[in-house]
Amino acid sequence: MNFVGLGALFLFLAVALGAFGAHALRARLEPSQLAVYQTGIQYHLIHGLAILGVGVIAFAHKAPGTPSLLGTSGVLFAVGILLFSGSLYLLAVTGVRKLGAITPFGGLFFLAGWITLLIASFSL
């Protein structure tokens, strides 16, 4: 998988969604909803950079394909962004509180991604 490209895509989306929140949603959302949205942006950016880092590490080690644990960490970060940040975006915009039940699963994917990356680092 091309994690540099995937990281760049996620980072593009984070910047675009951040700008949308700052300009289009600021007047429409309550401050507490905007804070939820901004938390989604913050974690989206951090883990987009993590995906990009996975791609750079794989490239630096000239792996013919991304080593399995390294690649797994990138996939875990991507799923985490979709679940964690995605649920926060939807929660902030729609006000549907049940969406908050999805957020911790995204956090677990983030944690699993970091542990997997740590384990992968021992074989690089």
Side-chain angles (χ1 to χ4, degrees):
M1 177 173 277
N2 180 351
F3 287 107
V4 171
L6 184 62
L9 174 63
F10 272 116
L11 290 166
F12 168 83
L13 291 172
V15 171
L17 289 169
F20 177 72
H23 299 289
L25 296 179
R26 184 171 301 255
R28 295 188 173 133
L29 297 180
E30 297 292 323
S32 62
Q33 291 172 296
L34 197 57
V36 167
Y37 190 87
Q38 290 301 327
T39 298
I41 294 294
Q42 179 182 4
Y43 279 81
H44 189 152
L45 284 167
I46 291 166
H47 290 89
L49 287 170
I51 294 168
L52 187 66
V54 165
V56 169
I57 292 166
F59 180 77
H61 288 278
K62 296 181 178 25
T66 305
S68 62
L69 280 178
L70 186 59
T72 299
S73 69
V75 170
L76 290 168
F77 292 141
V79 173
I81 290 171
L82 295 174
L83 294 178
F84 186 91
S85 296
S87 66
L88 290 180
Y89 299 148
L90 290 172
L91 173 63
V93 171
T94 67
V96 176
R97 292 291 209 197
K98 291 182 181 181
L99 292 167
I102 298 168
T103 309
F105 292 104
L108 290 174
F109 275 88
F110 288 152
L111 292 170
W114 288 114
I115 289 294
T116 305
L117 182 57
L118 173 65
I119 295 167
S121 73
F122 294 115
S123 65
L124 296 175

